[in-house]
């Protein structure tokens, strides 16, 4: 199965399962990319009258009246509802945070929304262009995406190449790399492109930062520590968004799920330079009932057809799931 972390397989034989899944980055929340989504994988979104009758409150993060939204099953539909509420275009929305108007990477909206969560939408602000000299192999960036075509910066490692370029900030959407528009490119592909840029040469980034109200202007952030990535739901239940099939109301993630997803997300960053709690959650789901690493690897291949992971990564993920089951972290 393993073909290296960036090599894709023939799409004609496997279903592409990560076309519009939520932030992996951000995406926060243990959503699922799995092909076995409840009662509807591969089906179009259900009609409005069959969707959960839940109403959420929302504001634009830089300031606005409060809007009410309902009747969505995935992130793209959610952005459409928010845009409709505030009479803006859906592509204006970069990402959403839960229960805070700040650019807080611990509170990114992901595959789950607590039933009492308040949604803040961060929209496009200032565009900027910056030249970066790649003096080291690693730039020090962690990339995620919003589930609707925009990759953005989730974390900047202190003391790294990018940390020295003060105009680059956590939350910035990466629009172009060396003049190549990457809108619509998933975060793991953006991370690969940045990793493959030649050392000891300069490259150009076009970025779009989230709009900020005057009182929200703060010192440049290094981004969130990964430990809190999944602890955002306040309500007793959550609305679980899916890329295929209907959204479902579920209980909050168990302690096992939270710990396992957090550990697998850490491994994704270590191996690939991305954070994606939705992808991590899918791996945990796949590995929950598997008896050995080989069975787990085959199930990953079946579920995530476009991904191919190296052996050492699969073994580490299998170990992390096992440790969580045994309560060892």
């Amino acid at each position: 199965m393993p073909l290296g972390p960036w090599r894709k397989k023939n799409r004609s034989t496997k279903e592409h399962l990560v076309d519009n899944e939520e932030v992996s980055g951000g995406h926060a929340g243990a959503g699922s990319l799995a092909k076995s989504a409840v009662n509807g994988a591969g089906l179009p979104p259900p009609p409005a009258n069959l969707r959960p009758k839940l109403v959420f409150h929302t504001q634009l993060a830089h300031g606005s009246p409060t809007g009410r939204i309902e009747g969505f099953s995935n992130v793209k539909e959610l952005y459409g509802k928010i845009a409709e509420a505030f009479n803006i275009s859906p592509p204006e929305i970069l990402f959403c945070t839960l229960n805070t108007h700040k650019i807080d990477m611990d509170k990114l909206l992901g595959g789950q929304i607590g039933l009492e969560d308040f949604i803040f939408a961060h929209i496009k602000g200032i565009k900027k262009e910056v030249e970066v000299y790649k003096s080291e192999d690693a730039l020090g960036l962690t990339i995620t995406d919003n589930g609707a075509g925009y990759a953005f910066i989730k974390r900047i490692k202190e003391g790294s190449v990018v940390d020295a370029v003060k105009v680059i900030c956590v939350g910035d959407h990466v629009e172009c790399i060396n003049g190549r528009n990457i809108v619509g490119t998933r975060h793991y592909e953006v991370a690969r492109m940045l990793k493959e840029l030649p050392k000891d040469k300069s490259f150009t980034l076009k970025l779009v930062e989230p709009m900020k109200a005057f009182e929200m202007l703060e010192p440049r952030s290094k981004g969130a520590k990964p430990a809190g990535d999944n602890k955002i739901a306040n309500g007793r239940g959550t609305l679980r968004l899916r890329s295929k099939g209907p959204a479902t109301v579920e209980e909050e993630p168990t302690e096992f799920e939270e710990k396992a997803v957090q550990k697998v997300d850490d491994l994704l960053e270590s191996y690939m330079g991305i954070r994606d709690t939705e992808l991590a959650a899918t791996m945990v789901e796949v590995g929950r009932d598997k008896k050995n690493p080989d069975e787990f690897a085959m199930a990953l291949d079946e579920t995530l057809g476009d991904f191919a992971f190296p052996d050492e990564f699969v073994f580490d993920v299998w170990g992390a799931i096992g440790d969580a089951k045994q309560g060892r972290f």
Side-chain angles (χ1 to χ4, degrees):
M1 164 214 162
L3 301 174
W6 304 114
R7 180 176 170 186
K8 291 189 174 184
K9 298 187 176 182
N10 190 333
R11 296 191 180 185
S12 64
T13 60
K14 298 283 187 177
E15 181 181 8
H16 186 43
L17 298 170
V18 290
D19 280 335
N20 73 334
E21 202 52 56
E22 292 70 34
V23 180
S24 44
H27 19 244
S32 173
L33 305 178
K35 181 160 52 180
S36 57
V38 177
N39 295 330
L43 298 178
N49 64 335
L50 295 181
R51 300 181 190 186
K53 299 295 184 181
L54 302 172
V55 177
F56 293 88
H57 292 87
T58 182
Q59 289 182 357
L60 300 180
H62 66 280
S64 75
T66 298
R68 289 162 56 91
I69 57 173
E70 60 182 312
F72 53 88
S73 285
N74 55 53
V75 168
K76 287 185 177 180
E77 290 184 3
L78 168 63
Y79 288 178
K81 294 290 184 180
I82 294 173
E84 183 180 346
F86 296 109
N87 196 28
I88 61 175
S89 171
E92 287 297 304
I93 300 173
L94 292 179
F95 56 85
C96 294
T97 50
L98 299 179
N99 307 314
T100 179
H101 64 282
K102 296 182 178 180
I103 302 170
D104 185 342
M105 296 293 113
D106 274 343
K107 301 295 180 67
L108 282 175
L109 182 149
Q112 289 187 335
I113 306 173
L115 300 186
E116 298 177 7
D117 284 341
F118 198 108
I119 302 170
F120 289 89
H122 298 256
I123 69 172
K124 289 181 179 179
I126 297 173
K127 291 190 174 186
K128 49 195 180 184
E129 183 171 332
V130 59
E131 186 174 280
V132 180
Y133 181 74
K134 189 176 182 182
S135 57
E136 304 288 342
D137 289 325
L139 291 170
L141 286 177
T142 297
I143 305 294
T144 189
D145 67 44
N146 70 349
Y150 291 162
F152 60 95
I153 297 170
K154 187 169 186 179
R155 193 135 59 94
I156 298 174
K157 184 178 180 181
E158 189 170 358
S160 65
V161 171
V162 170
D163 187 38
V165 186
K166 299 307 179 183
V167 73
I168 301 176
C169 299
V170 166
D172 285 354
H173 160 46
V174 184
E175 185 178 62
C176 293
I177 300 175
N178 281 338
R180 176 182 174 182
N181 189 301
I182 59 167
V183 173
T185 304
R186 287 305 307 261
H187 57 310
Y188 48 83
E189 292 288 354
V190 176
R192 178 186 59 79
M193 291 166 62
L194 292 170
K195 183 177 181 180
E196 291 179 350
L197 290 170
K199 185 180 174 181
D200 296 326
K201 290 189 177 181
S202 296
F203 64 94
T204 301
L205 291 176
K206 288 186 178 180
L207 306 167
V208 183
E209 69 177 41
M211 185 177 293
K212 304 180 183 70
F214 179 77
E215 63 271 17
M216 287 173 58
L217 297 178
E218 300 170 345
R220 178 172 179 263
S221 170
K222 297 295 185 297
K225 295 181 179 180
D229 275 356
N230 302 297
K231 300 179 180 178
I232 60 170
N234 287 339
R236 292 184 177 179
T238 62
L239 179 67
R240 185 171 184 173
L241 305 177
R242 301 179 184 275
S243 61
K244 297 177 177 65
T248 55
V249 177
E250 302 179 359
E251 295 296 322
E252 289 184 7
T254 64
E255 184 178 3
F256 153 73
E257 290 171 331
E258 287 188 346
K259 289 182 177 180
V261 168
Q262 178 182 317
K263 181 63 176 179
V264 174
D265 199 27
D266 290 344
L267 290 170
L268 281 169
E269 181 175 26
S270 175
Y271 277 88
M272 298 185 181
I274 65 172
R275 295 196 75 85
D276 188 332
T277 52
E278 287 23 273
L279 181 56
T282 296
M283 293 181 172
V284 172
E285 279 191 6
V286 169
R288 184 188 301 271
D289 59 352
K290 300 302 178 290
K291 298 178 181 179
N292 56 63
D294 287 338
E295 186 178 337
F296 175 53
M298 292 177 64
L300 280 182
D301 187 32
E302 178 68 22
T303 303
L304 301 173
D306 268 0
F307 285 88
F309 300 104
D311 286 334
E312 59 270 25
F313 174 78
V314 174
F315 280 115
D316 284 351
V317 171
W318 171 253
I321 295 172
D323 287 343
K325 287 179 180 178
Q326 299 298 321
R328 291 197 286 264
F329 55 75

